[in-house]
Amino acid sequence: MYGIVNKAIEELVTETFGEEKWNAVKLKSGVDIDFFISTEPYDDDITYKLAIAVSQEMSLPLSDVLIAFGEWWILKTGKEKYGYLMESGGNNFKEFITNLPLFHNRVMMIYPKLTPPEFKVTDIQDASLHLHYFSKRVGLQEFVRGLIQGLGKFYGCEVEINLLASRDENADHEVFEIKWK
Ligand code: HEM
């Protein structure tokens, strides 16, 4: 994944727990890279190693780390570094999620070598929908949950998320039922 992702993990840890904790996480991860360059692609393995090391160092379940990172990605990385992109995604929560299938097309103008996730939206009602998540990568479904929670906070609405299907249970992709008010 692009360095921006690893950098965001670094910022989350440094700003929440301090620089010493980040140094401990890096040591534990075995990742021997001093500085991540946002616009350079790195092996996915590096991102996974960092996330696992955060969970070990903080004694937190990996799922909690991924959820926290998803929220951070929206509320810090997205809002503060790519505010114009976030705003172009929609005027409210429902619009943003409904437009999500096209979102990474715009991201690809900044990061052309992106391997983006794929989203589909079905069962659209006034205050709920189904979000389908397809990815070449495994283990990121709780990251998606954190992203959706972050979007709820971004738009100031209460969000409820239920996982209806998962590759962990032999489906071929994840399906989230999302309700908001
Ligand atoms: C300004 C906002 C955003 C930017 C700049 C951005 C950029 C990126 C980048 C650079 C990656 C790494 C992929 C790679 O390097 O190959 C990524 C992955 C991902 N993004 Fe976004 N993204 C944004 C918003 C979102 C939003 C709003 C969602 C969903 C709610 C989302 C869902 C994901 C997921 C799930 C992945 C993991 C890749 C996978 O599942 O295969 N992103 N994004």
Side-chain angles (χ1 to χ4, degrees), residues 1 5-6 9-10 13 21-33 36 42-58 60 62 65-66 69 137-140:
M1 295 204 222
V5 176
N6 303 325
I9 297 179
E10 175 175 353
V13 174
K21 276 287 177 197
W22 170 246
N23 291 333
V25 164
K26 273 239 328 244
L27 200 64
K28 186 158 253 164
S29 71
V31 172
D32 192 17
I33 296 171
F36 296 108
Y42 294 81
D43 269 0
D44 281 5
D45 199 35
I46 290 174
T47 310
Y48 283 96
K49 279 183 178 162
L50 290 175
I52 291 165
V54 174
S55 105
Q56 290 172 342
E57 189 61 35
M58 305 303 163
L60 290 169
L62 183 58
V65 172
L66 291 173
F69 183 48
R137 302 180 172 101
V138 293
L140 298 181

Side-chain angles (χ1 to χ4, degrees), residues 1-2 73 82 96 103-104 107 114-115 117 133 135 137 147:
M1 295 204 222
Y2 272 104
W73 185 253
Y82 299 97
F96 195 102
F103 191 83
H104 286 81
V107 175
L114 198 76
T115 306
Y133 163 58
S135 174
R137 302 180 172 101
L147 288 162

Side-chain angles (χ1 to χ4, degrees), residues 75-127:
L75 297 169
K76 290 285 184 167
T77 314
K79 197 169 164 180
E80 290 178 6
K81 296 190 177 151
Y82 299 97
Y84 61 98
L85 245 185
M86 289 300 296
E87 273 161 34
S88 74
N91 293 318
N92 54 53
F93 181 80
K94 182 180 183 179
E95 237 179 71
F96 195 102
I97 297 281
T98 312
N99 292 335
L100 192 58
L102 295 174
F103 191 83
H104 286 81
N105 292 356
R106 260 166 281 150
V107 175
M108 279 181 104
M109 302 213 247
I110 316 170
Y111 297 109
K113 290 184 198 152
L114 198 76
T115 306
E118 224 182 281
F119 292 103
K120 274 188 191 138
V121 175
T122 63
D123 302 76
I124 303 176
Q125 308 287 329
D126 282 349

